[in-house]
Structures are given as C-alpha cells and as structure tokens.
Amino acid sequence: MHDERSDKTNIGLTHIGMAGFEVPLNFEQSFPSELKVFKQTVLPNRSGKASVFMRIRVLQVSELLSDTIDTAIADVTVDFYSEDALLFQDVQKVKSKARDVSKHHSENIEQALLEGLESFNDFRNRHRPYGCLSELD
C-alpha cells in the first residue's frame, strides 16, 4: 500500500468540547504504519501470485454537527495497480451517526477500505487475471 495523498499532515478535522472547536485529526502512528497494521490484519501475504498495489488517493474524515445527533464521514479513494497499470479505482463514503462521533472515525476508515477491497474483489472475480485480495502487496 502506498500513501499518494498530496496533504499528509492530517486526515481532517474533529470537534471537541461543548463549543465544538475544530482541531486537526491525525493517526496515532504514521499513516504507513497504520496501513501496515491494517494490511497484516486483513490481507495476509501469499507468495507466487501477481502483485497488486493499493495507492491511497484520498483519505479524509469530517463531521456534521447538529443539535441532536452528529455524523462522522470517511471519504476514501483507492487505486489498484499491477506494476504501472491501473486496474481499478474505488471511491467510498462511509457515514455513522452518534452523539459524539469523534471515536467513530477509525471504524469508518477501516470500513471504507474494506468496502473498497470488496469492490476490487468483485471486479477481479469478473475479470480473473489477478489473484484474490489476500495477495495484495
């Protein structure tokens, strides 16, 4: 997986406190480290298969605030490549609602990545030249 985002300083804004002050939102570790943990958990490597690379183009979180319930949004765009050939591009927007949505961002990002992988797997199953999701690099 490769982080191709032009702005790598943060992934969006979150609101804190009763006044809803906006503060930048960052990963606990570096984004490549976070992706590595995701890949190791979700995509075990299998040797001898065609390599497919994920390039993260957009990864942005935002919040919509209201008087009663807030919405956390994760926007994720991922390109899937084999060597230098673009195979597939996926765009996901995952939303969740709660009174305090700040704690939902990591779940929404993970869900968006998983849905993108499922979309790529559906595409791959229709075209069959490449291995399954567990063979992504």
Side-chain angles (χ1 to χ4, degrees):
M1 288 190 214
H2 301 282
D3 184 6
E4 298 288 327
R5 296 173 301 140
S6 58
D7 179 7
K8 295 178 173 82
T9 56
N10 66 63
I11 58 170
L13 299 173
T14 188
H15 296 87
I16 60 169
M18 296 297 285
F21 293 110
E22 289 185 335
V23 296
L25 185 61
N26 298 303
F27 288 105
E28 290 179 12
Q29 302 178 43
S30 69
F31 186 52
S33 297
E34 296 282 351
L35 281 177
K36 184 177 180 181
V37 169
F38 175 80
K39 179 188 171 203
Q40 289 171 340
T41 304
V42 177
L43 306 171
N45 198 12
R46 289 177 30 189
S47 61
K49 302 295 179 181
S51 292
V52 175
F53 299 93
M54 293 174 63
R55 292 185 181 163
I56 307 297
R57 296 287 180 196
V58 174
L59 193 148
Q60 181 83 29
V61 298
S62 58
E63 297 177 356
L64 298 175
L65 304 181
S66 74
D67 292 335
T68 56
I69 196 157
D70 300 335
T71 304
I73 304 164
D75 291 300
V76 178
T77 301
V78 180
D79 294 344
F80 294 85
Y81 284 85
S82 179
E83 297 179 11
D84 288 332
L86 177 64
L87 302 173
F88 184 75
Q89 182 179 73
D90 184 74
V91 177
Q92 294 291 330
K93 181 176 276 205
V94 174
K95 298 178 181 181
S96 60
K97 294 182 181 282
R99 185 67 201 127
D100 177 16
V101 294
S102 295
K103 60 187 171 210
H104 292 269
H105 292 304
S106 60
E107 296 166 3
N108 287 352
I109 291 169
E110 184 175 336
Q111 184 64 34
L113 288 170
L114 288 171
E115 289 178 15
L117 291 170
E118 287 180 23
S119 294
F120 175 72
N121 199 32
D122 290 344
F123 166 80
R124 183 206 50 88
N125 285 336
R126 288 190 307 271
H127 294 87
R128 282 287 182 207
Y130 297 97
C132 68
L133 290 178
S134 62
E135 296 145 11
L136 291 175
D137 279 339

